[in-house]
């Protein structure tokens, strides 16, 4: 007799030691969002960010290539840059060691006095990076497979659903602190079993919950659905592009998702992991050339006041429950036919989580 698949033990979501294992392994060996290429519009433009506890920066070189480096001087380990900006060369604030935009050491005070020093052997430590529809992703694993191997067909599908992507720039970032483990929030995002009961605006105004399904596509979870009648939408969805009357989503394991709302409106989720019990969800909203767009602003506000607010209460309640001595991992509702009332995407997520943590 086949036994039901049970959810992960609570320790995967509450134990600080599990989180430390994730930082060294899972979060350091997967493709993570760093910044948007709009922050790197010209040579010398840079943006700093943190992944798996490491400070990094992306910078556009004079050859127009975007490179990502560990944010640490190769002399005495001082951090090099902070925030965003533009620079002709990268200068360490500690001893003024100076690096080219390519990462190569250019100069430093009194270096000529050091016998046997070969400057050409000193360079900032580079990190694997890819540009994916204008988003800069990095992977701390130098041997990681390309993003197209991890997420087959996702790039081509997104280019079809967001044909204007080259023209899009960030309009608004909405920061949503959640007092829960990042995996709790990701699992909540990756099933619509709870949507009809908890998300009336989303379930009644955009998607048809009974048609909602999520299927794995490599390490991507592909969300598909039919839409409700869109005649009463609060904005004009007639973009002139294909798929303008549809909604879809591509979750890229482990902590990023592209969503496309009707009207080919691109928005994103990025889970910025803080510690075992905290995560900040960054909702990104984009417009043509990053100029003011009232439609997108209203969508972002509606989303924050409805679906996002509803989810905060759900995931924080789950985290509190995971810390209860009365919790026993229950069976996942896995329907072989898939569909909205099946937790098969959570099953896939938890397998990826277990494999990454337990080896």
């Amino acid at each position: 007799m086949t036994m039901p698949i049970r959810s992960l033990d609570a320790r995967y979501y509450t134990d600080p030691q599990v989180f430390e294992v994730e930082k060294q392994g899972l979060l350091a060996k997967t493709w993570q969002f760093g910044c948007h290429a709009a922050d790197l519009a010209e040579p010398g433009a840079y943006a700093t960010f943190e992944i798996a506890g490491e400070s990094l920066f992306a910078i556009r070189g004079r050859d127009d290539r975007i490179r990502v480096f560990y944010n640490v001087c190769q002399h005495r380990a001082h951090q090099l840059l902070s925030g965003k900006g533009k620079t002709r060369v990268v200068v360490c604030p500690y001893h003024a060691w100076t690096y080219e935009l390519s990462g190569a050491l250019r100069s430093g005070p009194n270096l000529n006095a050091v016998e046997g020093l070969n400057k050409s052997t000193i360079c900032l430590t580079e990190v694997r990076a890819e540009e994916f529809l204008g988003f800069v992703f990095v992977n701390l694993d130098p041997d990681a497979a390309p993003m197209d191997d991890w997420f087959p067909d996702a790039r081509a599908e997104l280019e079809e659903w967001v044909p204007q992507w080259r023209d899009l720039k960030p309009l608004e970032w909405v920061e949503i602190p959640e007092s829960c483990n990042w995996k709790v929030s990701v699992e909540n995002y990756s099933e619509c079993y709870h949507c009809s009961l908890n998300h009336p605006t989303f379930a009644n105004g955009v998607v048809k919950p009974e048609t909602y399904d999520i299927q794995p596509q490599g390490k991507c979870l592909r969300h598909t659905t039919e839409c409700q009648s869109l005649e009463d939408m609060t904005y004009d969805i007639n973009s002139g592009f294909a798929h303008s009357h549809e909604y879809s989503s591509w979750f890229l394991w482990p902590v990023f998702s592209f969503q496309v709302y009707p009207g080919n409106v691109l928005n994103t989720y990025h889970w910025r992991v803080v510690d075992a019990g905290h995560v900040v969800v960054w909702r990104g909203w984009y417009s043509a050339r990053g100029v003011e767009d009232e439609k997108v602003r209203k969508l972002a506000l509606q989303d924050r006041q409805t679906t996002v607010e509803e989810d905060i209460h759900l995931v924080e309640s789950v985290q509190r429950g995971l810390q209860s001595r009365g919790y026993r991992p229950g069976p996942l509702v896995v329907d072989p036919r898939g569909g909205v009332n099946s937790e098969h995407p959570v099953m896939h997520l938890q397998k990826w989580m277990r494999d990454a943590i337990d080896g």
Side-chain angles (χ1 to χ4, degrees):
M1 178 180 176
T2 302
M3 298 299 293
I5 297 170
R6 293 193 173 272
S7 190
L8 292 177
D9 289 339
R11 69 179 182 87
Y12 286 89
Y13 307 92
T14 61
D15 188 341
Q17 290 185 331
V18 169
F19 177 69
E20 288 303 314
V21 170
E22 289 176 338
K23 273 207 314 185
Q24 299 303 317
L26 167 61
L27 298 175
K29 296 181 179 181
T30 49
W31 287 101
Q32 310 265 331
F33 169 63
C35 65
H36 195 275
D39 294 327
L40 313 171
E42 53 190 332
Y46 65 85
T48 61
F49 47 89
E50 185 174 300
I51 289 173
E54 294 282 357
S55 180
L56 309 169
F57 71 90
I59 193 164
R60 188 177 291 276
R62 291 185 176 83
D63 57 0
D64 204 40
R65 178 182 158 194
I66 294 174
R67 296 175 176 85
V68 176
F69 299 102
Y70 285 95
N71 190 16
V72 59
C73 181
Q74 300 299 292
H75 173 218
R76 296 262 301 282
H78 196 283
Q79 290 196 323
L80 296 165
L81 299 171
S82 61
K84 300 176 183 178
K86 184 184 176 186
T87 186
R88 189 173 60 84
V89 289
V90 178
V91 181
C92 179
Y94 197 10
H95 299 101
W97 278 37
T98 302
Y99 299 86
E100 303 287 0
L101 302 184
S102 64
L105 179 64
R106 176 176 180 172
S107 62
N110 206 29
L111 285 186
N112 291 335
V114 181
E115 293 185 13
L117 175 66
N118 183 354
K119 287 192 301 183
S120 67
T121 64
I122 301 174
C123 186
L124 299 179
T125 305
E126 191 169 354
V127 179
R128 286 283 304 280
E130 285 193 30
E131 190 175 344
F132 190 99
L133 275 73
F135 294 76
V136 178
F137 284 81
V138 304
N139 195 319
L140 302 187
D141 180 1
D143 300 319
M147 290 185 71
D148 286 342
D149 289 358
W150 283 60
F151 315 116
D153 301 325
R155 190 191 303 261
E157 290 170 352
L158 277 158
E159 288 176 343
E160 182 181 346
W161 282 70
V162 194
Q164 78 281 24
W165 67 268
R166 289 181 181 82
D167 195 36
L168 295 180
K169 294 182 179 180
L171 174 66
E172 182 174 342
W173 293 104
V174 182
E175 292 186 45
I176 308 143
E178 294 179 342
S179 295
C180 70
N181 186 269
W182 68 273
K183 297 186 292 298
V184 170
S185 188
V186 163
E187 287 179 6
N188 176 74
Y189 176 84
S190 301
E191 51 96 342
C192 215
Y193 189 33
H194 71 282
C195 287
S196 294
L197 183 61
N198 293 281
H199 297 315
T201 299
F202 181 66
N204 298 326
V206 180
V207 305
K208 285 184 178 178
E210 67 273 16
T211 69
Y212 205 100
D213 197 17
I214 305 172
Q215 293 293 338
Q217 193 169 296
K219 287 294 179 72
C220 168
L221 289 178
R222 180 79 163 86
H223 297 222
T224 57
T225 184
E226 294 178 18
C227 286
Q228 302 279 14
S229 170
L230 300 177
E231 296 176 359
D232 297 326
M233 291 293 283
T234 57
Y235 63 97
D236 182 10
I237 66 171
N238 296 302
S239 64
F241 300 129
H243 304 291
S244 64
H245 287 65
E246 300 176 67
Y247 162 92
S248 203
S249 174
W250 293 255
F251 169 78
L252 309 185
W253 164 257
V255 286
F256 193 86
S257 186
F258 291 98
Q259 281 189 328
V260 184
Y261 280 6
N264 308 88
V265 178
L266 177 68
N267 56 96
T268 58
Y269 277 80
H270 179 218
W271 288 264
R272 290 186 182 266
V273 182
V274 179
D275 56 32
H278 298 86
V279 63
V280 178
V281 183
W282 283 44
R283 291 286 278 121
W285 296 87
Y286 309 87
S287 66
R289 300 174 302 285
V291 302
E292 189 58 40
D293 188 316
E294 184 181 7
K295 172 179 70 177
V296 177
R297 291 281 190 192
K298 286 182 175 179
L299 260 178
L301 180 61
Q302 175 183 291
D303 175 75
R304 180 64 182 85
Q305 293 176 338
T306 57
T307 306
V308 167
E309 186 65 28
E310 293 150 5
D311 275 334
I312 292 173
H313 296 292
L314 295 174
V315 297
E316 293 189 346
S317 178
V318 169
Q319 188 70 22
R320 290 192 295 271
L322 286 165
Q323 297 174 70
S324 169
R325 68 187 69 184
Y327 175 65
R328 304 290 183 273
L332 294 175
V333 179
V334 178
D335 188 329
R337 300 166 297 179
V340 70
N341 287 323
S342 175
E343 293 176 299
H344 58 279
V346 177
M347 174 188 70
H348 292 295
L349 276 177
Q350 293 191 352
K351 182 182 185 305
W352 298 342
M353 292 168 183
R354 187 183 291 108
D355 290 347
I357 295 167
D358 297 339

